[in-house]
Amino acid sequence: MHRHLYGDPMTCTGCRICEVVCSIIKYGVISPSLAGIRIIREESGEDTPNTCRQCKNASCMRACSENAIYSEDGIVKIDSKRCTGCFVCADACPFDMIVKVYSKNIATKCDLCGECVDFCPTGALTVRGA
Amino acid sequence: MKYKGYAGKILRVNLSEKKISNVEVTDYLIENYLGGAGFCSYILYKEMRKDVSSLSPENKLFFCTGPFTGTLWPQGSRYVVAAKSPLTDGWGEAHSAGHWGAELKFAGYDGIIVEGKAKKPSIIVVIDGDVEIKDASHIWGKNVKETDEIIKKEFDRKMKVACIGQAGENLVKISCIMNDVDRAAARSGIGAVMGSKNLKGIGVVGNGAIEVADKENYLKIIKKISEKMLSDPLTPERIKYGTTSLVELMNEIGRFPSYNFQKGQFEHADKIGGEAVLRYLIKPRADFACTQRCARYTCIKEGKYKYIGGGPEYETLSALGSRCGNSNLESILYGHYLCNLYGMDTIGVGGTISWAMECYEKGLITKDDTEGLDLSWGNHDVIIKLIHMIANREGFGNILAEGSYRAARIIGRGTEKYVMHVKKQEIAGQDGRAQKSMGLAMAVAPRGADHLYAFPVLDEIGFEEKIKEIYGEEYLPEIGDRLSTKYKAYMIFVNENFSVIVESLGACKYGTMVPPALFYDEVIDALKVTTGISYSRKDLEKIGERIVSLNRMFNIRVGMSRKDDNLPERFLKEPMPTGPPKGHVVDLDYMLNEYYDLRGWNENGVPEKKKLKELGLEFTIDDLPRGDEDA
């Protein structure tokens, strides 16, 4: 099984510290809309961390016409120098996990840096398939 | 604006003129009032005349976050909503958390001031820089959950919604504003103010960013503060029980109000306490950036009390439980759920129903008044019925919807004697006879009967090391003895100063007051890396004193004074019947005199001119009552 970030919906309490940490580490500002992880709050009580699955035959990779998206060590990455900000990859992703960075006109995504796992207060986040 | 952490502007929406504008967050505001409660206190004092009627278009409703809201301060989620209170006719303030406040900052606003009154039911929609007033006629009459769903569906499923239910629409004086479905800005009758403006809700989407002053060290400092929070010995209990286990603790020290405060211990406390609630717990839930996750998410799977939703807190277990002589936990959980749906303050609702129950017990209220309803203690069917009736102002519920103080004046017949209020607002689940500091705290708090403005906790049980750290060793043992009045004025003075700072920052009292993990040192560090402000403890204490005296002046100029810093006769004259505080009453005058002295107020509780000048509150001096001005 390939490596990817996973969050347990019943351990997660929906605090979204992961979203904030991601945006600070990657962009130096607090902005959950820039995060590569997003918590979905359900009425059932589940708080589901929506994460990039680092798909083997990634839809985002296949959709990109600039060859900007590639796989390295099982992690799907976007080359910001090749990215033109067309965001076709975002439309293609079945999990809505591509981040559209309008201010820089590029797409970004989770690169499994693991900082969110470190800051999660409940231990809900893990890297699976490691 | 030279400081980071703030959005930099406050939205002003005039519903009468349909005008939208911005108010700049100036360096003066930040340096002297910090944010949240501080901003509300300053702006509303300056912008509102003293004779404004609380349910008129002239009242202003100010939602305000702090510099920590939307950041990684271990509970960086809170906002304050303030207005002139329809319950007390004085300073009104409510606090909530959830995710709405953070979203507002990401949308680019530190707060929203709502003025005037819309001609038709309306909602305010904020999507980043885009602000519109939209028609809400199709949502008027819906409950909080339905309102949240409809607004999200119409605009954006990521939208965060603050709204009122039917209770606020019906100007129920004990109604509240809810956000994120089950988080409540509960007290001061704030829901009625929003309803009086024909404002159903405010939906916010924020895709923007908050900047921090010290990007390099921010995460490092926050991690340290977070770890201090998480490693506090009380934190595991908070995570496991939320505040529900306070039932067992309060009952043990004889401070668990029962039967409208006739007793301090409830014979069925074990049936409605933290352990009992565990059976219905789905999991703990957290507000934005909260590491402590004290919110509960619970459900009852079948039966007439079936529901799923957030809560309960200790206050509700007391208000709809022991205070009403009610040992049926499922009815308390369901009652809480209904109050959330309708948008009502469970403390106000429970306080009013339990008052009516005592009057019924004593034959002062009869079945003629209640239209046949049997208000015997513990009759949970009737408690649930009354919640529906109060929210919809039906029958007897229409009188109860006024809150216990006004309801007693409508009915008369000596029912006034049993109203457990301060400044016309219902007392919460604390008994001043069992904890003297709390008696003083609720007597002097500006929004009336408020246990949170000072929130004295360290004299509940133990905490001797913390007491030394926060107040000083020289005040032990009396300051740690909850039944002693000695040094309690000093305790309340220190607490209030810190507490209003917490509410101005957008931080949470759970983590600062209790567990007492974070204090001035942590606030100072976080303030520096978040905003760039370098403040000392003395600087912050001065701001605290300023805000407290300013809140005081808001009440002084509407005619309040020492006579309103009072407690019910039950606290002053009826000795506690059982438990550790047996035989105790509250010697309020002694504590009041000391408190006024510490605050720089005269013996009538009016701030002295020199104190107002010292605190930079010269603009309030003209509002000092004649005869109370000193030389």
Side-chain angles (χ1 to χ4, degrees), chain A residues 8 11-13 15 119-125, chain B residues 230 291 293:
Chain A
D8 179 66
T11 311
C12 175
T13 55
C15 73
F119 272 86
C120 174
T122 67
L125 295 177
Chain B
L230 282 172
T291 55
R293 61 256 203 201

PDB file of all heavy atoms in Angstrom, chain A residues 8 11-13 15 119-125, chain B residues 230 291 293:
ATOM      1  N   ASP A   8      -8.352   9.529  11.503  1.00  0.00           N
ATOM      2  CA  ASP A   8      -9.498   8.774  11.994  1.00  0.00           C
ATOM      3  C   ASP A   8     -10.643   9.704  12.395  1.00  0.00           C
ATOM      4  O   ASP A   8     -10.471  10.575  13.251  1.00  0.00           O
ATOM      5  CB  ASP A   8      -9.082   7.928  13.215  1.00  0.00           C
ATOM      6  CG  ASP A   8     -10.268   7.161  13.763  1.00  0.00           C
ATOM      7  OD1 ASP A   8     -10.769   6.275  13.050  1.00  0.00           O
ATOM      8  OD2 ASP A   8     -10.725   7.480  14.881  1.00  0.00           O
ATOM      9  N   THR A  11     -11.503   9.863  16.224  1.00  0.00           N
ATOM     10  CA  THR A  11     -10.475  10.395  17.129  1.00  0.00           C
ATOM     11  C   THR A  11     -10.314  11.890  16.888  1.00  0.00           C
ATOM     12  O   THR A  11     -10.076  12.666  17.803  1.00  0.00           O
ATOM     13  CB  THR A  11      -9.125   9.690  16.893  1.00  0.00           C
ATOM     14  OG1 THR A  11      -9.336   8.289  16.882  1.00  0.00           O
ATOM     15  CG2 THR A  11      -8.122  10.048  17.976  1.00  0.00           C
ATOM     16  N   CYS A  12     -10.460  12.275  15.618  1.00  0.00           N
ATOM     17  CA  CYS A  12     -10.394  13.695  15.268  1.00  0.00           C
ATOM     18  C   CYS A  12     -11.537  14.425  15.954  1.00  0.00           C
ATOM     19  O   CYS A  12     -12.662  13.924  16.019  1.00  0.00           O
ATOM     20  CB  CYS A  12     -10.512  13.850  13.751  1.00  0.00           C
ATOM     21  SG  CYS A  12     -10.597  15.568  13.202  1.00  0.00           S
ATOM     22  N   THR A  13     -11.241  15.608  16.516  1.00  0.00           N
ATOM     23  CA  THR A  13     -12.279  16.377  17.204  1.00  0.00           C
ATOM     24  C   THR A  13     -12.669  17.620  16.411  1.00  0.00           C
ATOM     25  O   THR A  13     -13.466  18.422  16.870  1.00  0.00           O
ATOM     26  CB  THR A  13     -11.795  16.818  18.600  1.00  0.00           C
ATOM     27  OG1 THR A  13     -10.572  17.541  18.443  1.00  0.00           O
ATOM     28  CG2 THR A  13     -11.578  15.629  19.506  1.00  0.00           C
ATOM     29  N   CYS A  15     -10.685  20.201  15.420  1.00  0.00           N
ATOM     30  CA  CYS A  15     -10.054  21.454  15.836  1.00  0.00           C
ATOM     31  C   CYS A  15      -9.392  22.189  14.670  1.00  0.00           C
ATOM     32  O   CYS A  15      -9.218  23.400  14.713  1.00  0.00           O
ATOM     33  CB  CYS A  15      -9.035  21.222  16.947  1.00  0.00           C
ATOM     34  SG  CYS A  15      -7.508  20.415  16.406  1.00  0.00           S
ATOM     35  N   PHE A 119       1.590  18.134  15.164  1.00  0.00           N
ATOM     36  CA  PHE A 119       0.827  19.107  15.941  1.00  0.00           C
ATOM     37  C   PHE A 119      -0.550  18.616  16.367  1.00  0.00           C
ATOM     38  O   PHE A 119      -1.197  19.239  17.201  1.00  0.00           O
ATOM     39  CB  PHE A 119       0.679  20.411  15.149  1.00  0.00           C
ATOM     40  CG  PHE A 119       1.811  21.373  15.368  1.00  0.00           C
ATOM     41  CD1 PHE A 119       2.963  21.290  14.607  1.00  0.00           C
ATOM     42  CD2 PHE A 119       1.732  22.345  16.354  1.00  0.00           C
ATOM     43  CE1 PHE A 119       4.016  22.169  14.812  1.00  0.00           C
ATOM     44  CE2 PHE A 119       2.773  23.234  16.574  1.00  0.00           C
ATOM     45  CZ  PHE A 119       3.925  23.143  15.798  1.00  0.00           C
ATOM     46  N   CYS A 120      -1.028  17.527  15.766  1.00  0.00           N
ATOM     47  CA  CYS A 120      -2.372  17.065  16.094  1.00  0.00           C
ATOM     48  C   CYS A 120      -2.473  16.709  17.577  1.00  0.00           C
ATOM     49  O   CYS A 120      -1.735  15.858  18.050  1.00  0.00           O
ATOM     50  CB  CYS A 120      -2.726  15.848  15.242  1.00  0.00           C
ATOM     51  SG  CYS A 120      -4.314  15.098  15.697  1.00  0.00           S
ATOM     52  N   PRO A 121      -3.389  17.363  18.332  1.00  0.00           N
ATOM     53  CA  PRO A 121      -3.433  17.122  19.778  1.00  0.00           C
ATOM     54  C   PRO A 121      -4.058  15.784  20.162  1.00  0.00           C
ATOM     55  O   PRO A 121      -3.910  15.344  21.295  1.00  0.00           O
ATOM     56  CB  PRO A 121      -4.289  18.278  20.307  1.00  0.00           C
ATOM     57  CG  PRO A 121      -5.112  18.713  19.159  1.00  0.00           C
ATOM     58  CD  PRO A 121      -4.354  18.405  17.923  1.00  0.00           C
ATOM     59  N   THR A 122      -4.769  15.122  19.256  1.00  0.00           N
ATOM     60  CA  THR A 122      -5.471  13.896  19.636  1.00  0.00           C
ATOM     61  C   THR A 122      -4.788  12.640  19.114  1.00  0.00           C
ATOM     62  O   THR A 122      -5.155  11.537  19.504  1.00  0.00           O
ATOM     63  CB  THR A 122      -6.905  13.893  19.088  1.00  0.00           C
ATOM     64  OG1 THR A 122      -6.840  13.820  17.654  1.00  0.00           O
ATOM     65  CG2 THR A 122      -7.650  15.134  19.497  1.00  0.00           C
ATOM     66  N   GLY A 123      -3.813  12.795  18.209  1.00  0.00           N
ATOM     67  CA  GLY A 123      -3.199  11.613  17.605  1.00  0.00           C
ATOM     68  C   GLY A 123      -4.071  11.000  16.524  1.00  0.00           C
ATOM     69  O   GLY A 123      -3.900   9.838  16.163  1.00  0.00           O
ATOM     70  N   ALA A 124      -5.017  11.777  15.979  1.00  0.00           N
ATOM     71  CA  ALA A 124      -5.922  11.240  14.966  1.00  0.00           C
ATOM     72  C   ALA A 124      -5.221  11.033  13.623  1.00  0.00           C
ATOM     73  O   ALA A 124      -5.661  10.230  12.805  1.00  0.00           O
ATOM     74  CB  ALA A 124      -7.104  12.190  14.773  1.00  0.00           C
ATOM     75  N   LEU A 125      -4.138  11.779  13.390  1.00  0.00           N
ATOM     76  CA  LEU A 125      -3.456  11.717  12.094  1.00  0.00           C
ATOM     77  C   LEU A 125      -2.274  10.769  12.124  1.00  0.00           C
ATOM     78  O   LEU A 125      -1.483  10.762  13.071  1.00  0.00           O
ATOM     79  CB  LEU A 125      -2.964  13.112  11.699  1.00  0.00           C
ATOM     80  CG  LEU A 125      -4.030  14.167  11.433  1.00  0.00           C
ATOM     81  CD1 LEU A 125      -3.385  15.517  11.137  1.00  0.00           C
ATOM     82  CD2 LEU A 125      -4.936  13.754  10.284  1.00  0.00           C
TER      83      LEU A 125
ATOM     84  N   LEU B 230      -1.791  20.957  27.438  1.00  0.00           N
ATOM     85  CA  LEU B 230      -2.121  19.539  27.341  1.00  0.00           C
ATOM     86  C   LEU B 230      -1.617  18.729  28.527  1.00  0.00           C
ATOM     87  O   LEU B 230      -2.203  17.708  28.884  1.00  0.00           O
ATOM     88  CB  LEU B 230      -1.568  18.952  26.037  1.00  0.00           C
ATOM     89  CG  LEU B 230      -2.384  19.282  24.777  1.00  0.00           C
ATOM     90  CD1 LEU B 230      -1.643  18.822  23.531  1.00  0.00           C
ATOM     91  CD2 LEU B 230      -3.754  18.619  24.834  1.00  0.00           C
ATOM     92  N   THR B 291      -7.135  22.625  21.758  1.00  0.00           N
ATOM     93  CA  THR B 291      -6.469  21.361  22.071  1.00  0.00           C
ATOM     94  C   THR B 291      -7.202  20.616  23.175  1.00  0.00           C
ATOM     95  O   THR B 291      -6.988  19.436  23.394  1.00  0.00           O
ATOM     96  CB  THR B 291      -5.023  21.617  22.546  1.00  0.00           C
ATOM     97  OG1 THR B 291      -5.059  22.525  23.654  1.00  0.00           O
ATOM     98  CG2 THR B 291      -4.177  22.225  21.445  1.00  0.00           C
ATOM     99  N   ARG B 293     -10.601  20.291  23.667  1.00  0.00           N
ATOM    100  CA  ARG B 293     -11.841  19.649  23.214  1.00  0.00           C
ATOM    101  C   ARG B 293     -12.845  19.335  24.333  1.00  0.00           C
ATOM    102  O   ARG B 293     -13.242  18.181  24.560  1.00  0.00           O
ATOM    103  CB  ARG B 293     -11.544  18.374  22.394  1.00  0.00           C
ATOM    104  CG  ARG B 293     -10.784  17.246  23.091  1.00  0.00           C
ATOM    105  CD  ARG B 293      -9.333  17.164  22.658  1.00  0.00           C
ATOM    106  NE  ARG B 293      -8.767  15.845  22.881  1.00  0.00           N
ATOM    107  CZ  ARG B 293      -7.477  15.597  22.983  1.00  0.00           C
ATOM    108  NH1 ARG B 293      -6.599  16.573  22.872  1.00  0.00           N
ATOM    109  NH2 ARG B 293      -7.056  14.358  23.183  1.00  0.00           N
TER     110      ARG B 293
END
